[in-house]
Amino acid sequence: MFPATTDPAADRARYDRATAHLDAPLAIVDLAAFDANAADLVRRAGGKPVRVASKSVRCRALLERALARDGFAGVMSFTLAESLWLARSGFTDVLLAYPSVDRAGYAELASDPESASAVTVMVDDPAQLELIDAARAGGREEIRVCLELDASLRLFGGRVRVGARRSPLHSPARLAELARAVTRRPGFRLVGLMAYEGHIAGVGDAPAGRPLRAAGVRLMQSVARRELAERRAAAVRAVRAIAPELEFVNGGGTGSVQHTAAEEVVTEVAAGSGLLMPRLFDHYTSFSGRPAALFAQPVVRRPGVGVVTVLGGGYPASGPAGRDRLPVPYLPTGLRYDPQEGPGEVQTPLLGSAAGDLLIGDKVWFRHAKAGELCERFEALHLVEGDRVVATVPTYRGEGRTFL
Ligand SMILES: Cc1ncc(COP(=O)(O)O)c(C=O)c1O
């Protein structure tokens, strides 16, 4: 359960000391763990730049901290409003990784030279180009465009597919067709290609206690990696023939950094979750990070022997609903949910051996299942160095920015 690099009891003592003057609920980021995770992502990228995925961070100070390191370059954003906000606040290379239909956002983008040179938008359908043109409202700035290739694996003549339903453009020929449409259209510049292999980057290949699933995942991922590497190379060749000035080819995510970076045609990899290391990234053979983001809930009552109740705690993550989407009680070790209640809207009973030693007012530390969504629950992150809070920085929510 615990990554080998941490000493849970010592970490708990540090976090309790650092936040002794603060009331829970609160969220912290352990800067030593964050920095170690960032260094490991750069190592795994083998010399190719890492573009930081903002959806998995959702805090400008932490985006800046990652980007200040050698080996990181650019932000991968998740909405157009966010992209414009980041561009206005000084981020100069923002790749919006998801198609947008934000008309007001496009009008702003097309009329502001600085934003237009900083932000690249995602397109996988001619209808999106039409929408942007209709929305630009006279704005004359050239719109930087990235095309998305579908990274999913299709087997048995397409009857079985593995991977996220994202772009409709699966074949290099389809991608090239849209590349041609972009390059022929005034007001647009084709600058990038992206393919995100979520079934490799976001699926752990070492699920605890499930050897059969592990074997299945590894087999699927090795087939998918090989298939995608060939198709991605062909797609890049086809698009470069149409748009030789292509600036970047982005791929991958936290779980696939070294594999994706090893493909010659890939010029940069994306990663965000690996900085904060939420629980969904615990079970990979190719890397292990240190939990860097935690939240604390206070013990507010003791309903009986072997049980304490903390305030709040029910912060499930997005995705297919299941136990793995729940936060986990992390420190002290030896706490678990009451199966009848789980983590609750306003209170969460916790069972287990550690409950007996917890007093009213003590903090219980949790890990979220995903990285960025934690920041939608807290206005600030307390940055911990050793056993001190060295800074308190706003999350997106704390800046009044709830994009999704
Ligand atoms: C386009 C894209 N690239 C990369 C990632 C990987 O992000 P992370 O490293 O936070 O898992 C994602 C996550 O969903 C994504 O949608």
Side-chain angles (χ1 to χ4, degrees), residues 53 55-56 76 97-98 166 194 196 201 250 252-254 270-274 281:
K55 77 174 181 65
S56 304
M76 172 176 277
Y98 313 88
R166 297 179 59 115
M194 186 190 83
Y196 172 55
N250 178 284
T254 289
S273 303
F281 286 86

Side-chain angles (χ1 to χ4, degrees), residues 11 13-22 28-32 382-392:
D11 284 345
R14 269 192 317 115
Y15 301 147
D16 279 346
R17 273 200 303 278
T19 60
H21 60 299
L22 299 169
I28 64 166
V29 169
D30 182 332
L31 290 179
H382 301 287
L383 307 184
V384 171
E385 232 171 62
D387 62 0
R388 282 188 321 123
V389 169
V390 294
T392 296

Side-chain angles (χ1 to χ4, degrees), residues 10 19 28 31 60 71 106 141 159 189 223 227 231 276 285 345 357 367 371 392 403-404:
T19 60
I28 64 166
L31 290 179
R60 283 198 297 176
Y106 284 124
E141 294 303 323
R159 284 195 298 281
R189 185 141 56 95
V223 173
E227 189 277 337
R231 192 157 48 84
L276 297 178
T285 47
E345 182 180 1
D357 297 328
R367 294 175 68 201
T392 296
F403 297 109
L404 287 179

